[in-house]
Amino acid sequence: MHAFADESRRGDYLVCAVTIAPSDLDSARKALKSLRAPRSARIHMSHDSRRASQIIRGVVALDLQAHLYVVDLGGRSERHARDRALAAMATDLDALHVRQLWLESCDQDRRDREVIRTALATSPGAGFAYRHTAPTSEPMLWVPDVLAWAWGKGGHHRKAVADTLEIHTVS
C-alpha cells in the first residue's frame, strides 16, 4: 500500500492522506491527468476552484480510501497543528501497512521528516519509507489536495467527499 498526503488550512488545520495499492497507481494517475486544465502542470484547488465539481467527481470516482486529520488551531501555531496531524497520520498509516508515503514538498520538509520519524519509532508497525516531492511530478498528490479543499470549503463540496473520507479529530 502507498500513501500520498497534503494539507489545507480553512479554520482548522487539515492533513489528508490517501492510500492506494501499487497496482492501481497507473490507472489513477492517468485519470487524474485527464482532469487537469489544458496546459496545466497539475491540479491545485486554489487555482482550479471554478472546475471544482468536475474535479471532485473525478477524484471520488477513483474510489480510494482517504483519511482526514483535523486539528482545531485554537490559538496554537500551524506548525504545532501540522506536527500533531502528521504524527497521528504516520501512526495510522503504519497500522494500515503502508510501505511508502509521499508528501507535497514545502519549506517544512526537514521538520516533517523529524515528526514522522519520531512517530514511527513508537509505532508498533514495521514502519515505512517517506519522501517529499513536487506535486507537478506526482499526480497522486493532487487527490489529498482536492479532498482536503472540498472538506474545508464545506457545503455541497464537503457533502460530495464525505463518504470518501474517514475523519480523525486530533487534539
Side-chain angles (χ1 to χ4, degrees), residues 116-131:
I116 294 168
R117 183 175 43 254
T118 300
L120 291 177
T122 60
S123 178
F128 51 82
Y130 45 94
R131 70 178 78 167

Side-chain angles (χ1 to χ4, degrees), residues 10 149-159:
R10 288 194 171 270
W149 180 91
W151 183 266
K153 187 74 172 167
H156 68 280
H157 295 304
R158 179 178 287 186
K159 185 175 180 180

Side-chain angles (χ1 to χ4, degrees), residues 29 32-44 47-48 51 134-142:
R29 286 175 176 137
L32 289 164
K33 288 177 183 178
S34 75
L35 293 171
R36 277 186 307 198
R39 296 175 301 285
S40 180
R42 66 182 279 203
I43 292 172
H44 192 268
H47 305 292
D48 289 314
R51 300 180 326 105
T136 53
S137 66
E138 178 49 71
M140 287 302 299
L141 286 171
W142 308 342

Side-chain angles (χ1 to χ4, degrees), residues 79-166:
R79 183 67 248 183
H80 174 81
R82 185 179 181 94
D83 289 354
R84 302 289 297 150
L86 288 176
M89 178 194 70
T91 301
D92 290 349
L93 293 177
D94 198 25
L96 292 171
H97 308 290
V98 163
R99 293 293 148 240
Q100 179 75 48
L101 167 65
W102 284 263
L103 299 109
E104 183 171 332
S105 187
C106 66
D107 61 351
Q108 303 180 75
D109 295 357
R110 185 171 163 263
R111 176 68 182 150
D112 289 353
R113 287 190 295 272
E114 292 172 11
V115 169
I116 294 168
R117 183 175 43 254
T118 300
L120 291 177
T122 60
S123 178
F128 51 82
Y130 45 94
R131 70 178 78 167
H132 289 84
T133 192
T136 53
S137 66
E138 178 49 71
M140 287 302 299
L141 286 171
W142 308 342
V143 177
D145 177 74
V146 169
L147 295 174
W149 180 91
W151 183 266
K153 187 74 172 167
H156 68 280
H157 295 304
R158 179 178 287 186
K159 185 175 180 180
V161 300
D163 291 340
T164 302
L165 292 168
E166 182 175 326

